[in-house]
Amino acid sequence: MRYRPPAIFVIPGGMGTRQLVNDAAALDAIRKRVEKSTYCLSICTGSAVLARCGVLNGRWATSNKHALEWVKSMGTKVAWLEKARWCVDGKFYTSSGVSAGIDMALGFVADRFGRERAEAVAHSMEYVWNSNPDDDPFAFPEVE
């Protein structure tokens, strides 16, 4: 048997996701690729695309807080976290925003290769890593 390295599928967010969620052929291709992947990471509203594909059903996920209501409408069977920098559920890593995507990627590196390696990567990038996925300073405050 030949060694096959883990397949990592990364889907970014952004304004393009607004159209992508309505492209049935693209969603089918993405779903098939995600199913074959060992890990799947999404940044920002990329989780809306994953939700629309149905691959996040029954899983915890997060997304950009400014688009969260729209993202939630793409997957009503997803357990959306409204306050999370990023979250992990099985092979899925989802992040809230762009810089949270960097934090999540470093969290992924820490999970796979150790915290020391993730810290070294952050240091080489001159990046201050928010390593706590629950520390979400951009979540909207509770309405009282």
Coordinates of all heavy atoms in Angstrom, one line a residue, residues 73-136:
S73 N -28.8 30.9 7.7 CA -29.8 30.5 6.8 C -29.4 29.5 5.8 O -30.2 28.9 5.1 CB -30.4 31.8 6.2 OG -29.5 32.3 5.2
M74 N -28.1 29.3 5.6 CA -27.6 28.4 4.6 C -27.5 27.0 5.2 O -27.3 26.0 4.4 CB -26.1 28.8 4.2 CG -26.1 30.1 3.4 SD -27.0 30.0 1.9 CE -28.4 31.1 2.2
G75 N -27.6 26.8 6.5 CA -27.6 25.5 7.1 C -28.3 25.5 8.4 O -27.7 25.7 9.5
T76 N -29.6 25.2 8.4 CA -30.4 25.2 9.6 C -30.1 24.0 10.5 O -30.6 24.0 11.7 CB -31.9 25.4 9.3 OG1 -32.3 24.3 8.5 CG2 -32.1 26.7 8.6
K77 N -29.4 23.0 10.0 CA -29.1 21.8 10.7 C -27.7 21.8 11.3 O -27.2 20.8 11.9 CB -29.3 20.5 9.9 CG -30.7 20.3 9.4 CD -30.8 19.1 8.5 CE -32.3 19.0 8.1 NZ -32.4 17.9 7.1
V78 N -27.1 23.0 11.2 CA -25.7 23.2 11.8 C -25.9 23.8 13.2 O -26.7 24.6 13.4 CB -24.9 24.1 10.9 CG1 -23.5 24.3 11.5 CG2 -24.8 23.5 9.5
A79 N -25.0 23.3 14.1 CA -25.0 23.9 15.5 C -24.1 25.1 15.4 O -22.9 25.0 15.7 CB -24.6 22.9 16.5
W80 N -24.6 26.3 15.1 CA -23.8 27.5 14.9 C -23.4 28.1 16.3 O -24.2 28.3 17.1 CB -24.6 28.5 14.1 CG -24.8 28.1 12.7 CD1 -26.0 27.7 12.2 CD2 -23.8 28.0 11.7 NE1 -25.8 27.4 10.9 CE2 -24.5 27.6 10.5 CE3 -22.5 28.3 11.6 CZ2 -23.9 27.4 9.3 CZ3 -21.8 28.1 10.4 CH2 -22.5 27.7 9.3
L81 N -22.1 28.3 16.4 CA -21.5 29.0 17.6 C -21.5 30.5 17.3 O -20.8 30.9 16.4 CB -20.1 28.5 17.9 CG -20.1 27.1 18.5 CD1 -18.7 26.6 18.6 CD2 -20.8 27.0 19.9
E82 N -22.2 31.3 18.1 CA -22.2 32.7 17.8 C -21.0 33.4 18.5 O -20.6 34.5 18.1 CB -23.5 33.3 18.3 CG -24.7 32.8 17.6 CD -26.0 33.5 17.9 OE1 -25.9 34.5 18.6 OE2 -27.0 33.0 17.4
K83 N -20.4 32.8 19.4 CA -19.2 33.3 20.1 C -18.1 32.3 20.1 O -18.0 31.4 20.9 CB -19.5 33.8 21.5 CG -18.3 34.4 22.1 CD -18.6 35.0 23.5 CE -17.3 35.7 24.0 NZ -17.4 36.2 25.3
A84 N -17.2 32.4 19.0 CA -16.1 31.5 18.9 C -15.1 32.1 17.9 O -15.6 32.6 16.8 CB -16.5 30.1 18.5
R85 N -13.9 32.2 18.2 CA -12.9 32.6 17.3 C -12.8 31.6 16.1 O -12.7 32.0 15.0 CB -11.5 32.8 18.0 CG -10.5 33.5 17.2 CD -10.5 35.0 17.4 NE -9.3 35.6 16.8 CZ -9.4 36.6 16.0 NH1 -10.5 37.1 15.7 NH2 -8.3 37.1 15.4
W86 N -12.7 30.4 16.6 CA -12.8 29.2 15.6 C -13.3 28.1 16.4 O -13.3 28.1 17.6 CB -11.5 29.0 14.9 CG -10.5 28.2 15.7 CD1 -10.3 26.8 15.7 CD2 -9.4 28.7 16.5 NE1 -9.3 26.4 16.5 CE2 -8.7 27.5 17.0 CE3 -9.0 29.9 16.9 CZ2 -7.6 27.7 17.8 CZ3 -7.9 30.0 17.7 CH2 -7.2 28.9 18.2
C87 N -13.7 27.0 15.7 CA -14.1 25.8 16.4 C -13.7 24.6 15.6 O -13.5 24.7 14.4 CB -15.6 25.8 16.8 SG -16.7 25.6 15.4
V88 N -13.7 23.5 16.3 CA -13.3 22.2 15.6 C -14.4 21.2 16.0 O -14.8 21.1 17.1 CB -12.0 21.7 16.2 CG1 -11.5 20.4 15.5 CG2 -10.9 22.7 16.1
D89 N -14.8 20.5 14.9 CA -15.8 19.4 15.1 C -15.4 18.3 14.1 O -15.6 18.4 12.9 CB -17.2 19.8 14.9 CG -18.2 18.7 15.3 OD1 -17.8 17.5 15.4 OD2 -19.4 19.1 15.6
G90 N -14.7 17.2 14.7 CA -14.2 16.2 13.8 C -13.1 16.7 12.9 O -12.2 17.4 13.3
K91 N -13.3 16.5 11.6 CA -12.3 16.9 10.6 C -12.5 18.4 10.2 O -11.7 18.9 9.4 CB -12.3 16.0 9.4 CG -13.5 16.2 8.5 CD -13.3 15.3 7.3 CE -14.3 15.5 6.2 NZ -14.0 14.7 5.0
F92 N -13.6 19.0 10.7 CA -13.9 20.4 10.3 C -13.4 21.4 11.3 O -13.6 21.3 12.5 CB -15.4 20.5 10.2 CG -16.0 19.7 9.1 CD1 -16.5 18.4 9.3 CD2 -16.0 20.2 7.8 CE1 -17.0 17.7 8.3 CE2 -16.5 19.4 6.7 CZ -17.0 18.2 7.0
Y93 N -12.7 22.4 10.7 CA -12.2 23.6 11.5 C -12.9 24.8 10.8 O -12.8 25.0 9.6 CB -10.7 23.8 11.3 CG -9.9 22.8 12.2 CD1 -9.9 21.5 11.9 CD2 -9.1 23.3 13.2 CE1 -9.1 20.6 12.7 CE2 -8.3 22.5 13.9 CZ -8.3 21.2 13.7 OH -7.5 20.3 14.5
T94 N -13.7 25.6 11.5 CA -14.3 26.8 11.0 C -13.9 28.0 11.8 O -13.8 27.9 13.0 CB -15.8 26.6 10.9 OG1 -16.3 26.4 12.3 CG2 -16.3 25.5 10.0
S95 N -13.6 29.1 11.1 CA -13.2 30.3 11.8 C -14.2 31.4 11.5 O -14.9 31.4 10.5 CB -11.8 30.7 11.3 OG -11.8 31.2 10.0
S96 N -14.1 32.4 12.4 CA -15.1 33.5 12.3 C -14.7 34.5 11.2 O -15.5 34.9 10.4 CB -15.3 34.2 13.6 OG -14.1 34.6 14.2
G97 N -13.5 35.0 11.2 CA -13.1 36.0 10.2 C -11.8 35.8 9.6 O -11.2 34.7 9.8
V98 N -11.2 36.8 9.0 CA -10.0 36.6 8.3 C -8.8 36.3 9.3 O -8.1 35.3 9.2 CB -9.6 37.8 7.4 CG1 -8.3 37.6 6.7 CG2 -10.7 37.9 6.3
S99 N -8.6 37.2 10.2 CA -7.5 37.0 11.2 C -7.8 35.8 12.1 O -6.9 35.1 12.5 CB -7.2 38.3 12.0 OG -8.4 38.6 12.8
A100 N -9.1 35.5 12.3 CA -9.4 34.3 13.1 C -9.0 33.1 12.2 O -8.7 32.0 12.8 CB -10.9 34.3 13.4
G101 N -9.1 33.2 10.9 CA -8.6 32.1 10.1 C -7.1 31.8 10.3 O -6.7 30.6 10.2
I102 N -6.3 32.8 10.5 CA -4.9 32.6 10.8 C -4.8 31.9 12.1 O -4.0 31.0 12.3 CB -4.1 34.0 10.8 CG1 -4.2 34.6 9.4 CG2 -2.7 33.7 11.2 CD1 -3.7 36.0 9.3
D103 N -5.5 32.4 13.1 CA -5.5 31.8 14.4 C -5.9 30.3 14.3 O -5.3 29.4 14.9 CB -6.4 32.5 15.4 CG -5.9 33.9 15.8 OD1 -4.7 34.1 15.7 OD2 -6.8 34.7 16.1
M104 N -7.0 30.0 13.5 CA -7.5 28.6 13.4 C -6.4 27.8 12.7 O -6.2 26.6 13.1 CB -8.7 28.6 12.5 CG -9.2 27.3 12.2 SD -10.4 27.3 10.8 CE -9.4 27.8 9.4
A105 N -5.8 28.3 11.6 CA -4.7 27.6 10.9 C -3.6 27.2 11.9 O -3.0 26.1 11.8 CB -4.2 28.4 9.7
L106 N -3.2 28.2 12.7 CA -2.2 27.9 13.7 C -2.7 26.8 14.7 O -1.9 26.0 15.2 CB -1.7 29.2 14.4 CG -0.9 30.1 13.5 CD1 -0.8 31.5 14.2 CD2 0.5 29.5 13.2
G107 N -4.0 26.9 15.1 CA -4.5 25.9 15.9 C -4.5 24.5 15.3 O -4.2 23.5 15.9
F108 N -4.7 24.5 14.0 CA -4.6 23.2 13.2 C -3.2 22.7 13.3 O -3.0 21.5 13.5 CB -5.1 23.5 11.8 CG -5.0 22.3 10.9 CD1 -5.9 21.2 11.0 CD2 -3.9 22.1 10.0 CE1 -5.8 20.1 10.1 CE2 -3.8 21.0 9.2 CZ -4.7 20.0 9.3
V109 N -2.3 23.6 13.1 CA -0.8 23.2 13.1 C -0.5 22.6 14.5 O 0.1 21.6 14.7 CB 0.1 24.3 12.8 CG1 1.6 24.0 13.1 CG2 -0.1 24.7 11.3
A110 N -1.0 23.3 15.5 CA -0.8 22.8 16.9 C -1.4 21.4 17.1 O -0.8 20.6 17.8 CB -1.3 23.8 17.9
D111 N -2.6 21.2 16.7 CA -3.3 19.9 16.8 C -2.5 18.8 16.1 O -2.4 17.7 16.6 CB -4.7 20.0 16.3 CG -5.6 20.8 17.2 OD1 -5.2 21.2 18.3 OD2 -6.7 21.1 16.7
R112 N -2.0 19.1 14.9 CA -1.3 18.1 14.1 C 0.2 17.9 14.5 O 0.7 16.8 14.4 CB -1.4 18.4 12.6 CG -2.8 18.6 12.1 CD -3.6 17.4 11.8 NE -4.3 16.6 12.8 CZ -5.4 17.0 13.5 NH1 -5.8 18.2 13.3 NH2 -6.0 16.2 14.3
F113 N 0.9 19.0 14.8 CA 2.3 19.0 14.9 C 2.8 19.5 16.2 O 4.0 19.5 16.4 CB 3.0 19.8 13.8 CG 2.5 19.3 12.4 CD1 1.6 20.1 11.7 CD2 3.0 18.1 11.9 CE1 1.1 19.7 10.4 CE2 2.5 17.7 10.6 CZ 1.6 18.5 9.9
G114 N 2.0 19.9 17.1 CA 2.4 20.4 18.4 C 2.4 21.9 18.5 O 2.6 22.6 17.6
R115 N 2.1 22.3 19.8 CA 2.0 23.8 20.0 C 3.3 24.5 19.7 O 3.3 25.6 19.2 CB 1.6 24.0 21.5 CG 1.4 25.4 21.8 CD 0.8 25.6 23.3 NE 0.7 27.0 23.5 CZ -0.4 27.7 23.2 NH1 -1.4 27.1 22.6 NH2 -0.5 29.0 23.5
E116 N 4.4 23.9 20.1 CA 5.7 24.5 19.8 C 5.9 24.9 18.3 O 6.4 25.9 18.0 CB 6.8 23.6 20.3 CG 8.2 24.2 20.3 CD 9.2 23.3 21.0 OE1 9.1 23.1 22.2 OE2 10.1 22.9 20.2
R117 N 5.5 24.0 17.5 CA 5.6 24.2 16.0 C 4.7 25.4 15.6 O 5.1 26.3 14.9 CB 5.2 23.0 15.2 CG 5.1 23.1 13.7 CD 6.4 23.1 13.0 NE 7.2 22.0 13.2 CZ 7.2 20.8 12.4 NH1 6.3 20.7 11.5 NH2 8.1 19.9 12.7
A118 N 3.5 25.4 16.1 CA 2.6 26.5 15.8 C 3.1 27.9 16.3 O 3.0 28.9 15.6 CB 1.2 26.2 16.4
E119 N 3.7 27.9 17.5 CA 4.3 29.1 18.0 C 5.4 29.5 17.2 O 5.6 30.7 16.9 CB 4.7 28.9 19.5 CG 3.5 28.8 20.4 CD 3.8 28.4 21.8 OE1 5.0 28.0 22.1 OE2 3.0 28.6 22.7
A120 N 6.2 28.6 16.7 CA 7.4 28.9 15.8 C 6.9 29.5 14.5 O 7.4 30.5 14.0 CB 8.2 27.7 15.6
V121 N 5.8 29.0 13.9 CA 5.2 29.5 12.7 C 4.7 30.9 12.9 O 5.0 31.8 12.1 CB 4.1 28.6 12.2 CG1 3.4 29.3 11.0 CG2 4.7 27.3 11.7
A122 N 4.0 31.1 14.0 CA 3.5 32.5 14.3 C 4.6 33.5 14.5 O 4.6 34.6 14.0 CB 2.6 32.4 15.6
H123 N 5.7 33.0 15.2 CA 6.8 33.9 15.4 C 7.5 34.3 14.1 O 7.8 35.4 13.9 CB 7.8 33.3 16.4 CG 9.0 34.1 16.7 ND1 9.0 35.2 17.6 CD2 10.3 34.1 16.2 CE1 10.1 35.8 17.6 NE2 10.9 35.1 16.8
S124 N 7.6 33.3 13.2 CA 8.3 33.6 11.9 C 7.4 34.5 11.0 O 8.0 35.2 10.2 CB 8.5 32.3 11.1 OG 7.3 31.7 10.7
M125 N 6.1 34.6 11.3 CA 5.2 35.5 10.6 C 5.1 36.8 11.3 O 4.5 37.7 10.8 CB 3.8 34.9 10.5 CG 3.7 33.6 9.7 SD 2.1 32.8 9.9 CE 0.9 34.1 10.0
E126 N 5.8 37.0 12.4 CA 5.6 38.2 13.3 C 4.2 38.4 13.6 O 3.6 39.5 13.5 CB 6.3 39.4 12.6 CG 7.8 39.2 12.4 CD 8.5 40.5 11.9 OE1 7.8 41.5 11.7 OE2 9.7 40.4 11.7
Y127 N 3.5 37.3 14.0 CA 2.1 37.3 14.2 C 1.8 37.0 15.7 O 2.4 36.0 16.2 CB 1.4 36.3 13.3 CG -0.1 36.3 13.5 CD1 -0.9 37.3 12.9 CD2 -0.8 35.3 14.2 CE1 -2.3 37.3 13.0 CE2 -2.2 35.3 14.3 CZ -2.9 36.3 13.7 OH -4.3 36.3 13.9
V128 N 0.9 37.7 16.4 CA 0.5 37.4 17.7 C -0.7 36.5 17.7 O -1.8 37.0 17.3 CB 0.2 38.7 18.5 CG1 -0.2 38.4 20.0 CG2 1.4 39.6 18.5
W129 N -0.5 35.3 18.0 CA -1.5 34.2 17.9 C -2.4 34.2 19.0 O -2.0 34.2 20.2 CB -0.8 32.9 17.8 CG -1.7 31.7 17.7 CD1 -2.9 31.6 17.2 CD2 -1.4 30.3 18.2 NE1 -3.4 30.3 17.3 CE2 -2.5 29.5 17.9 CE3 -0.2 29.8 18.8 CZ2 -2.5 28.2 18.2 CZ3 -0.3 28.4 19.1 CH2 -1.4 27.7 18.8
N130 N -3.7 34.4 18.7 CA -4.8 34.2 19.7 C -5.1 32.7 19.7 O -5.8 32.2 18.9 CB -6.0 35.0 19.4 CG -7.1 34.8 20.4 OD1 -7.1 33.9 21.2 ND2 -8.2 35.6 20.2
S131 N -4.5 32.0 20.6 CA -4.5 30.5 20.6 C -5.8 29.9 21.3 O -6.0 28.7 21.4 CB -3.3 29.9 21.3 OG -3.2 30.3 22.6
N132 N -6.6 30.8 21.9 CA -7.8 30.3 22.6 C -9.0 30.5 21.6 O -9.5 31.6 21.3 CB -8.0 31.2 23.8 CG -9.3 30.7 24.6 OD1 -10.1 29.9 24.1 ND2 -9.4 31.3 25.8
P133 N -9.6 29.3 21.1 CA -10.7 29.4 20.2 C -11.9 30.0 20.8 O -12.8 30.5 20.0 CB -10.9 28.0 19.8 CG -10.3 27.2 20.9 CD -9.2 28.0 21.4
D134 N -12.0 30.1 22.1 CA -13.2 30.7 22.7 C -13.1 32.2 23.0 O -14.1 32.8 23.4 CB -13.5 29.9 24.0 CG -13.8 28.5 23.8 OD1 -14.5 28.1 22.8 OD2 -13.3 27.6 24.6
D135 N -11.9 32.7 22.8 CA -11.7 34.1 23.1 C -12.0 34.9 21.8 O -11.2 35.0 20.9 CB -10.2 34.4 23.5 CG -9.9 35.8 23.7 OD1 -10.9 36.6 23.8 OD2 -8.7 36.2 23.9
D136 N -13.2 35.3 21.7 CA -13.8 36.0 20.5 C -14.1 37.4 20.8 O -15.3 37.7 21.1 CB -15.0 35.2 20.0 CG -15.5 35.7 18.7 OD1 -14.9 36.7 18.1 OD2 -16.5 35.2 18.2

